[in-house]
Amino acid sequence: MSSTDDHSLCGCSQCCVSTSHAAVLSVGAEISITPEPAQLAPGDNVTLLVRGLSGEELAYTWYAGPTLSLSYLVASYITLNRQLQTEVGYGHMQVYETLAQPTVLANATELVERRDTLRLLCSSPSPAEVRWFFNGDALPVAVRLGLSPDGRTLTRHSVRREEAGAYQCEVRNPVSVSRSEPLNLTVYSIDLKPPLKCAGPTHSSQNTEISPGGEIILKIPEQIRDQVGPERVAIVQDSTTRTGCTIKVDFNTSLTLWCTSRSCPEPEYVWAFNGRALENGRDHLNISGMAAAQEGTYTCIAKNPKTLLSGSASVVVKLSAAAISMMIVPVPTKPEEGQDVTLTVQGYPKDLLVYAWYRGPASEPNRLLSQLPSGNWIAGPAHTGREVGFANCSLLVQKLNLTDAGRYMLKTVTVQGKTDTLELELQVAHGTAFLPSDTGVYLYK
């Protein structure tokens, strides 16, 4: 009998054969039916072997069913017409189907570490043995403990970050194997023990409490599903070197601060300088032309758009010791005729008593102005009415003339009597002015 016959069955079926022979055979003979091969798939050929026959059979009849009914009749063969003795033998034949590809179904593909429960179902229309795979390998023992008795459901309470990855299930029977497409699981995580460092993560005190062991524990409201924060927020200098609490920078140099964190998805960034928000939504902040006005505390706040929590890190940026030494810097650096220029003094002494500005050598006829211990300044012999002095030793010269170019000198005296002298050669460029002519055309002067 072949499984390609019109009466062949797919699945589990009962077969029986009825034989007739001469009355001389004993009634107690046992007949059995065995399929070869024993494990079958649709399209295979099968031979049903009958064992226990005497060899003197005069007729036989095959039935594909549990009883000798015409509705189950498959074939019959008769050689003689005489008085017969009938025996019946039964056999069992299993035809296994070719399995379709299963599908992994999940209660959620984005979970929160130590809180959410993972449930995976291997969906397949056919009864079959089920095996699970994680990142292409057999399921770890710790995760296998969450399998249901039939192996089709995987449950994991308080999922861990190391359990994030690709999950697959495989169904198999003796003649067929089929594996599902991978299902990727994301686990949002939070570090309950942030490192003790000045640039480490911070959290709102309303959502945290301190355990007796000193751990920082986040209290997650039930109504907010994913309220966990980014980890290890830190500020890195120039993308390569991790900074401490203070960064010292040379005067008039550039600095790039990078904000880093462990967050999934990527966080949003906000920068602040001395508590004031800056218009910068990027993961880095550029500081160019470092000066005293840019000294202070820089803070990066990283906010996870998924978890809605944030962490922050701060550093203090200061001018280096070499930059603190006094120097005169004109602003703008290349002034033109007709412009104002401010001769700023970097690193002026904090215990200043008096100072004096001179146009030319430091002699009385060349003195522009002096500041008195009271904080007021008085004009000198060389004052033109366009010079203004400030408490930080700076000198403003308004509406420059070409004759204002030349050497400027500053003398300072501290409360302790220490005297310093600085000088600067100021250059004034020709200005651009356009005057109307009689013809109405503007001419360059």
Side-chain angles (χ1 to χ4, degrees):
M1 177 182 178
S2 172
S3 63
T4 58
D5 293 339
D6 293 340
H7 294 83
S8 63
L9 300 176
C10 182
C12 178
S13 62
Q14 192 86 5
C15 304
C16 60
V17 61
S18 172
T19 64
S20 300
H21 50 80
V24 297
L25 289 177
S26 63
V27 180
E30 294 184 359
I31 300 175
S32 63
I33 303 172
T34 304
E36 287 191 359
Q39 298 173 345
L40 302 170
D44 290 347
N45 295 325
V46 62
T47 299
L48 302 181
L49 300 179
V50 182
R51 305 181 187 280
L53 297 177
S54 64
E56 299 179 359
E57 290 72 27
L58 303 177
Y60 64 84
T61 305
W62 282 94
Y63 300 87
T67 62
L68 306 181
S69 171
L70 290 178
S71 60
Y72 298 127
L73 178 64
V74 176
S76 62
Y77 177 76
I78 301 174
T79 58
L80 296 173
N81 186 10
R82 64 170 76 176
Q83 184 179 0
L84 301 175
Q85 180 178 345
T86 301
E87 290 182 324
V88 178
Y90 293 91
H92 181 83
M93 182 173 65
Q94 176 76 45
V95 180
Y96 297 93
E97 66 177 302
T98 301
L99 298 172
Q101 185 180 37
T103 303
V104 177
L105 304 177
N107 61 323
T109 57
E110 296 181 345
L111 303 173
V112 177
E113 185 184 26
R114 301 185 181 95
R115 192 194 72 192
D116 286 346
T117 296
L118 169 66
R119 291 185 181 87
L120 299 178
L121 171 66
C122 184
S123 177
S124 173
S126 306
E129 178 189 357
V130 178
R131 296 182 181 180
W132 287 90
F133 295 86
F134 175 65
N135 291 335
D137 297 324
L139 208 61
V141 175
V143 181
R144 284 204 303 268
L145 297 178
L147 287 175
S148 61
D150 62 0
R152 287 182 174 264
T153 303
L154 172 63
T155 303
R156 186 66 171 160
H157 299 285
S158 300
V159 68
R160 296 292 189 264
R161 74 179 74 182
E162 57 268 18
E163 292 164 358
Y167 286 82
Q168 292 173 279
C169 72
E170 183 180 271
V171 291
R172 57 172 55 211
N173 61 27
V175 299
S176 178
V177 177
S178 182
R179 186 178 295 192
S180 71
E181 294 293 332
L183 180 140
N184 292 311
L185 175 69
T186 300
V187 178
Y188 297 106
S189 59
I190 182 170
D191 188 7
L192 296 183
K193 284 187 176 181
L196 297 177
K197 58 184 180 181
C198 59
T202 59
H203 304 282
S204 171
S205 59
Q206 296 179 351
N207 293 329
T208 61
E209 60 182 22
I210 306 298
S211 70
E215 296 179 342
I216 300 177
I217 302 175
L218 255 70
K219 300 178 290 184
I220 303 175
E222 294 181 358
Q223 68 271 22
I224 302 178
R225 172 174 172 75
D226 291 330
Q227 194 165 0
V228 292
E231 300 178 7
R232 297 182 177 89
V233 182
I235 293 179
V236 176
Q237 179 181 355
D238 297 330
S239 170
T240 56
T241 305
R242 185 169 300 277
T243 69
C245 295
T246 301
I247 303 175
K248 293 186 177 181
V249 186
D250 292 337
F251 176 76
N252 205 29
T253 58
S254 297
L255 170 68
T256 300
L257 300 178
W258 293 82
C259 191
T260 64
S261 67
R262 294 178 57 186
S263 176
C264 182
E266 286 296 316
E268 300 169 349
Y269 296 97
V270 176
W271 288 88
F273 173 58
N274 290 336
R276 178 175 55 86
L278 301 176
E279 295 182 0
N280 184 319
R282 296 174 295 178
D283 60 351
H284 63 281
L285 178 67
N286 294 320
I287 303 174
S288 58
M290 184 65 193
Q294 294 166 300
E295 288 185 314
T297 301
Y298 290 83
T299 302
C300 169
I301 302 172
K303 180 179 180 181
N304 190 314
K306 176 69 178 179
T307 64
L308 304 181
L309 286 189
S310 60
S312 66
S314 298
V315 293
V316 176
V317 177
K318 291 184 176 181
L319 287 169
S320 63
I324 296 176
S325 60
M326 290 178 60
M327 66 171 55
I328 302 173
V329 179
V331 179
T333 56
K334 297 180 179 180
E336 295 181 354
E337 181 184 8
Q339 288 184 329
D340 296 347
V341 64
T342 300
L343 305 183
T344 61
V345 180
Q346 303 289 345
Y348 69 93
K350 304 302 180 182
D351 57 347
L352 179 70
L353 180 62
V354 293
Y355 70 80
W357 276 99
Y358 301 86
R359 181 184 287 120
S363 60
E364 181 58 22
N366 297 328
R367 184 171 60 86
L368 293 170
L369 55 84
S370 301
Q371 177 183 275
L372 302 178
S374 62
N376 299 322
W377 62 269
I378 57 174
H383 192 269
T384 66
R386 295 180 290 116
E387 296 84 12
V388 179
F390 297 92
N392 61 1
C393 296
S394 297
L395 174 68
L396 169 63
V397 182
Q398 306 175 81
K399 298 180 181 179
L400 285 172
N401 296 321
L402 293 178
T403 56
D404 291 325
R407 185 171 56 162
Y408 286 75
M409 298 191 68
L410 169 67
K411 278 192 173 183
T412 62
V413 180
T414 66
V415 175
Q416 288 77 23
K418 180 182 178 182
T419 301
D420 283 309
T421 302
L422 300 176
E423 64 178 74
L424 169 73
E425 191 72 25
L426 179 66
Q427 296 180 354
V428 179
H430 285 276
T432 55
F434 294 89
L435 300 177
S437 68
D438 295 338
T439 60
V441 178
Y442 283 82
L443 302 176
Y444 177 78
K445 178 182 178 182

